[in-house]
Amino acid sequence: MKRGEVRPGSAWALVTGAGSGIGRCYALRLAALGYRLVIVGNNAAPLEAVAGEIRRAAGANASASFPEVRVMPMDLARVGAAQELHDRTAAEGIEIDVVINNAGIFSFCDILTTPAERIERIILLHDLTVSQLCRLYAADMVRRGVRGHILNMSSYSLWMPFPGLALYSASKAYMRSFSVAFAKEVRDRGIRITAVCPAGVATDLYGLTPRWQRIGKRLGVLITPDNCARRGLLALWRGRRCIVPDWWNRAWIPLCKALPMWVLRPIRRFTMQFQK
């Protein structure tokens, strides 16, 4: 069997932010590995489209069983959202074996000009909801005595506390720190936790047009969402606590942390036009 593969229909995986980008690719890959899926996002239409895509992919493979996909539209950037999602899966008799905390909100804006509501929603989604989902589903895994897996999508920007990224990079830094520490707490219970910290990924999250995404991929600055999902899952199955896809991105981390203000000032002046 492939690494991470299960007997078709024998295990459940939950993916948040599954309606597009990296989350969609996680859902497709997990379905191909035999998992039944719960896909979550704040918009029902993209989730239904992904569910249809998964079913069509299985239908094209005569040897594959028809995958079960439950669509759960839900705004996770709220107090109590994690408990609400957990209660809903429990009420439907779904026992989750793999959790992919992928839902995210990108923000490139100085704190003084960032709407208060955006600050609240980003911290709620990236930090509170993720922490509570980890606790709730890990506790279920321990109670059932299964070897569970939880993947949290952090970001390379945690090493880049630059002007305009204060809120986003700090919320992702928390996610990585929490994931690594929690992984150590639950390892002896058979639970594996992985934080994935990609640099540029060719998705709509950053507001890049399709043209600039293609250019970024050609230049090697951006990786594809599927490449990111593939590497993230491989790290999860291997029990890695934290990964940064691509060695050259890891090599740049010390420089990102050490950039002085005299270098950042002209960058800041240039990027002010892109803040929103």
Side-chain angles (χ1 to χ4, degrees), residues 3-262:
R3 193 182 292 269
E5 190 174 6
V6 297
R7 183 169 50 81
S10 64
W12 283 94
L14 182 148
V15 183
T16 69
S20 63
I22 304 170
R24 167 185 165 274
C25 295
Y26 277 126
L28 290 169
R29 284 188 167 272
L30 286 164
L33 289 172
Y35 287 88
R36 303 156 86 183
L37 286 170
V38 175
I39 55 176
V40 185
N42 59 3
N43 191 335
L47 295 176
E48 293 289 357
V50 171
E53 191 175 356
I54 291 170
R55 292 171 185 134
R56 286 193 298 274
N61 184 355
S63 63
S65 62
F66 193 78
E68 183 174 1
V69 185
R70 305 276 182 95
V71 172
M72 295 189 180
M74 185 180 298
D75 180 7
L76 295 175
R78 298 178 293 111
V79 174
Q83 187 68 57
E84 182 181 328
L85 176 57
H86 178 265
D87 290 348
R88 184 168 173 183
T89 55
E92 296 190 19
I94 299 171
E95 295 181 324
I96 301 294
D97 298 280
V98 176
V99 176
I100 309 293
N101 284 312
N102 169 77
I105 302 171
F106 183 69
S107 179
F108 182 56
C109 191
D110 283 6
I111 290 295
L112 292 180
T113 53
T114 302
E117 181 189 8
R118 188 190 302 176
I119 293 175
E120 181 176 300
R121 285 180 61 79
I122 286 177
I123 293 174
L124 284 173
L125 180 61
H126 293 175
D127 300 338
L128 180 64
T129 296
V130 167
S131 299
Q132 292 182 336
L133 285 174
C134 285
R135 178 184 178 277
L136 289 165
Y137 285 109
D140 286 348
M141 295 168 188
V142 170
R143 174 182 53 80
R144 290 160 48 214
V146 301
R147 178 169 178 156
H149 295 81
I150 300 175
L151 184 150
N152 297 327
M153 285 300 295
S154 183
S155 169
Y156 191 81
S157 67
L158 69 93
W159 291 290
M160 301 166 60
F162 297 166
L165 286 174
L167 177 61
Y168 184 77
S169 63
S171 69
K172 291 295 187 175
Y174 170 88
M175 193 181 291
R176 176 188 177 274
S177 180
F178 171 83
S179 300
V180 171
F182 188 49
K184 295 174 183 178
E185 292 179 1
V186 298
R187 186 172 184 85
D188 291 342
R189 305 288 193 96
I191 313 298
R192 299 293 180 262
I193 316 289
T194 297
V196 181
C197 307
V201 183
T203 73
D204 296 333
L205 181 68
Y206 314 115
L208 295 175
T209 64
R211 176 174 175 268
W212 281 109
Q213 290 180 32
R214 289 193 298 271
I215 291 171
K217 286 187 288 186
R218 285 197 214 103
L219 295 175
V221 177
L222 303 178
I223 63 174
T224 66
D226 188 61
N227 191 356
C228 183
R230 178 181 62 81
R231 296 182 186 212
L233 287 176
L234 184 59
L236 184 64
W237 308 140
R238 289 177 171 174
R240 297 276 301 277
R241 291 176 189 146
C242 178
I243 67 151
V244 178
D246 295 326
W247 66 267
W248 57 86
N249 289 323
R250 294 191 289 273
W252 284 102
I253 290 173
L255 178 61
C256 289
K257 295 164 68 174
L259 279 177
M261 262 319 287
W262 65 266

